[in-house]
Amino acid sequence: MSVASHPSPVIYRPDAGLTNEEDLRLRRLLCRCFPYRPAFRRRRYLHDTPPQHRWFIVAEDGTLAGHAAVYDKTILVGGREERIGGVAEVCVAPAYRGRGHLKALLSAVHAFLRREGIPFSLLFGRPELYRSSGYRPIAAPIRSTDPFFRWWNPFKGTPMVHLVCGRPWPGGLIDLCGPTF
């Protein structure tokens, strides 16, 4: 069976509505793409709570080819509350990479955030993967709750933002008001 050379349609599902079979298929994909994260063997999210929203790409042969999750979250930036879509667990199965799936997933996420009036999409990752989808690194200190010790720690990683509604990103310390996503 041939695999499509263009992105398959992106499917939205609220996390709370996933079936046991979908949960298993998603965890298999997450384990393949993030083998260094053993939490995915037991559950479909990394930290204490699952994201509210998920997007999937299913290949023509029925294989789960790609995934993105979003946390609807309020954080503090420079001491002011900002609503963001915290993008997490973005992945494309190795056999399906290079076909535009990442861009299709993020485009669907951005359209959803725009409809919901969420001005920013924030994620942590490698800038070279996300630049073409409009993400830019943020040069600001960031902190989050350490999920193991429950204290505030400086965060190590590359936070990137996509301006969903065109509003400029406010400057200042980024406080995730909880764990990373």
Side-chain angles (χ1 to χ4, degrees), residues 82-85 113 117-121 161-167:
E82 293 290 349
R83 188 172 174 208
I84 64 158
L113 295 176
I118 300 173
F120 307 110
S121 174
V161 69
H162 174 80
L163 308 176
V164 175
C165 298
R167 196 173 111 208

Side-chain angles (χ1 to χ4, degrees), residues 113-166:
L113 295 176
R114 204 170 2 270
R115 283 191 307 273
E116 294 295 312
I118 300 173
F120 307 110
S121 174
L122 186 67
L123 61 76
F124 303 94
R126 296 186 357 227
E128 65 273 15
L129 292 177
Y130 298 99
R131 188 172 291 118
S132 66
S133 292
Y135 285 86
R136 299 294 177 257
I138 304 168
I142 187 166
R143 65 182 181 183
S144 66
T145 302
D146 184 311
F148 300 106
F149 301 106
R150 301 286 184 220
W151 67 50
W152 291 107
N153 280 336
F155 181 78
K156 308 241 188 279
T158 304
M160 291 176 277
V161 69
H162 174 80
L163 308 176
V164 175
C165 298

Side-chain angles (χ1 to χ4, degrees), residues 83-103:
R83 188 172 174 208
I84 64 158
V87 179
E89 301 153 12
V90 180
C91 62
V92 175
Y96 297 93
R97 292 179 183 162
R99 301 175 190 201
H101 293 314
L102 177 66
K103 203 168 208 142

Side-chain angles (χ1 to χ4, degrees), residues 8-104:
S8 300
V10 178
I11 301 164
Y12 169 79
R13 295 290 309 277
D15 181 81
L18 295 183
T19 66
N20 289 339
E21 180 191 342
E22 290 167 329
D23 172 75
L24 181 60
R25 291 176 69 201
L26 175 56
R27 286 187 293 119
R28 284 181 183 150
L29 174 65
L30 292 170
C31 284
R32 263 194 317 260
C33 294
F34 304 107
Y36 50 87
R37 297 288 193 185
F40 292 132
R41 291 186 203 132
R42 299 181 316 275
R43 62 183 189 221
R44 62 182 178 258
Y45 50 94
L46 190 56
H47 296 293
D48 294 338
T49 57
Q52 297 96 328
H53 312 283
R54 295 196 182 265
W55 286 262
F56 299 97
I57 291 181
V58 179
E60 287 179 356
D61 65 0
T63 302
L64 188 55
H67 167 263
V70 169
Y71 290 81
D72 184 339
K73 187 171 174 87
T74 299
I75 65 172
L76 296 175
V77 182
R80 295 181 52 204
E81 286 189 348
E82 293 290 349
R83 188 172 174 208
I84 64 158
V87 179
E89 301 153 12
V90 180
C91 62
V92 175
Y96 297 93
R97 292 179 183 162
R99 301 175 190 201
H101 293 314
L102 177 66
K103 203 168 208 142

